[in-house]
Amino acid sequence: MLLNCGQSMPLLRHTDVPSRVKENFILTGYRFPNYSVKDCLLSAFRPTNETGNFWTHFLPVFIFAYYFVEVFGWEGAPHADSPFFYPLWNYFIGVFCLLMASSMAHLLNSMSLVVREVCFFVDYGTISSYTVGSSLAYYYYIHPRAGIVETGGNNGSQTDLKEEPAGSLSYAIPDFCVFFENFYIPSACLVAIICVLSCCNTRQRWRRHRYLIRTFVFLLPFLVSSTPIFYRLLTRSPYSTTSSSFAASTSTAGFFCRHCFWLLVSAVFNISKIPERLAPGRFDIWGHSHQWFHCCTFLSILDELHLIKAEVKAILLSPTLLLPPATLAPLPGPTITSTYGVMLLLQTTIISVIVWFSWHANCIFGPERDKLAKEHPREHLKCH
């Protein structure tokens, strides 16, 4: 049964498309998987069941960029290309790629069954990259010793370290020292690779519980990357309670709680498939769970950005808490290798994973794609 026939490619019911394309409780608004790139791009302005999925992650790109660039206009902030901002730029790259890959995956996935698989493999890969971008920002701006510069004697009351001698700056929870200093970033990268492997696998096996698996798989990188924040919440602030840096960083806990709240709500939408589960067919175009999932994940990212900005401002406001490199800094400062280099290595690994799964998907769905192309030539699907 054809819907919305006009000058555009027709939209279909769930009974008229391959089973691979069907979504639970979504009955109409489907595009047949033989669209051209032009057809896909034009479908962003048509009421399909993917239109909202596209816009709910495409428009947030501009909202995120608006709040992001605010940092560079702050008083005392170094130039945007300063090493100080390397971790922040890596975070931006992670978020930008996540939002763009997600929106494009929903827009372009109707080109073929194979392209559909590749689109979502890339989507999962950028989610994993984003988690490492967050970890780099956390490591350099929220790390327990981020920015603490030894000045040859003590850091004095400015950092409220109670005259600890140089070289003896200690952790309130000493057991975390080895993890933070040596394993935090490698662990974030390893977990990111495990996540993309697991999520890509859910498109070829474990299909029945794929949404549950994908949701809980990404709980692990959240727990790993958020370790510096958990540490900060469980221990004292590195700033004097009378300093402007302390005032700037007090909002961190609130932003983190909101970040967690939106992640939790997004997980509920992704697993439950509410509201379309309650009224199949009623939320096919607007208001179905994946659109709410997108909105909630972006709100969580936005609160995370505000959290990171609060800690960046706290460091910039303190005359003695300057992000290394600096003389005798206990925490190595950001370099091209330790930030962009880490992301490049991770991206190379993730791309290799995506290529392998894409090849496998082509072996599985290539014959079906060719069969569908013969049975449903595009000129026969057009409306006149």
Side-chain angles (χ1 to χ4, degrees), residues 13-27:
R13 292 186 60 83
H14 68 109
T15 53
D16 302 317
V17 295
S19 59
R20 191 68 178 184
V21 176
K22 298 177 184 177
E23 296 292 341
N24 295 335
F25 313 109
I26 302 296
L27 306 184

Side-chain angles (χ1 to χ4, degrees), residues 50-64:
E50 290 283 24
T51 303
N53 293 338
F54 167 74
W55 288 108
T56 49
H57 261 181
F58 183 72
L59 292 179
V61 171
F62 304 97
I63 299 173
F64 180 83

Side-chain angles (χ1 to χ4, degrees), residues 158 240 242-249 314 317-318:
Q158 186 69 36
S240 169
T242 59
S243 68
S244 54
S245 294
F246 180 85
S249 68
L317 286 173
S318 175

